[in-house]
Amino acid sequence: MQQGPVVLLPDRSGPRNVAVILLFGALVLGLTGIDALRQGALEDLPIGQVEMTIETPQQSGDDITVEDYEAFHDLAKERGAYAWRGWSMSVGMGLVAIGAVGLFLLKPWGPQLAVVGATLSLVGGVVAGFRFQEAAEATLEGLLVETQWQFMLACGASSGLCLAVAALPLLNARARLALFSHADLTEES
């Protein structure tokens, strides 16, 4: 039995749902970037924060002192790890947030801008992660070195997930039809 052409109808609610998710993700990851900039601007980390950070590794047998962690902080700053993470996450997630607003309004530039922002965050976050990891390996030992590696993976995974979500409206035919109303997305069966 032969059927006629399959006509796709625009999906206007799907892209808007994605936009809300992107906006919340951009807020969380953007705050991470702002925190990295704030910590990178500190000459010395607050002693209470450092003591709390090294408490668990010390209890598990790692010989880490406040001075070791300050040396890590100084080396990470010197290698630009805080700046890479801070600027790439802040600017990238700012672009994602603006793109999310555009996507919510069903503007074609919305998901494109979100993809650019998420890519910027992903690349900058991974570069920063490697710089933090190098600083950790040079100044710390044991659990904190492993923690830096896991934080780099978490940052990369979060940015990568944000990139995947931002690309969804560009990959889905019904969402593309809502964004690019002039596109002909019919398919012959």
Side-chain angles (χ1 to χ4, degrees):
M1 176 173 155
Q2 187 158 4
Q3 296 179 348
V6 175
V7 178
L8 297 176
L9 300 175
D11 176 14
R12 288 176 172 74
S13 65
R16 287 186 171 136
N17 291 335
V18 168
V20 171
I21 292 168
L22 282 175
L23 195 57
F24 283 121
L27 178 66
V28 170
L29 292 177
L31 289 174
T32 301
I34 291 170
D35 184 58
L37 288 173
R38 187 186 60 77
Q39 287 197 8
L42 295 174
E43 187 62 37
D44 291 319
L45 294 172
I47 192 74
Q49 178 184 346
V50 173
E51 288 174 345
M52 193 169 52
T53 302
I54 65 175
E55 181 179 354
T56 301
Q58 285 176 336
Q59 289 175 354
S60 68
D62 292 345
D63 185 28
I64 297 173
T65 64
V66 171
E67 292 77 23
D68 292 336
Y69 200 82
E70 283 293 342
F72 161 73
H73 171 71
D74 293 340
L75 188 56
K77 270 187 1 182
E78 180 183 310
R79 293 190 177 175
Y82 288 107
W84 269 96
R85 179 174 287 153
W87 286 111
S88 65
M89 297 298 277
S90 299
V91 172
M93 288 300 126
L95 293 174
V96 170
I98 294 168
V101 170
L103 178 59
F104 191 83
L105 298 173
L106 298 176
K107 301 295 183 189
W109 54 265
Q112 295 166 344
L113 187 61
V115 165
V116 169
T119 302
L120 175 66
S121 293
L122 177 62
V123 170
V126 169
V127 168
F130 279 115
R131 290 176 183 225
F132 276 115
Q133 184 64 25
E134 290 170 358
E137 288 173 353
T139 57
L140 302 174
E141 64 179 55
L143 191 59
L144 287 176
V145 175
E146 186 177 328
T147 301
Q148 282 302 320
W149 177 255
Q150 291 170 353
F151 190 69
M152 180 184 70
L153 292 177
C155 182
S158 298
S159 297
L161 183 61
C162 187
L163 176 59
V165 170
L168 280 176
L170 297 174
L171 301 174
N172 181 279
R174 291 184 62 205
R176 277 196 329 261
L177 191 57
L179 293 169
F180 304 99
S181 59
H182 61 277
D184 181 21
L185 297 175
T186 59
E187 179 183 316
E188 296 287 336
S189 293

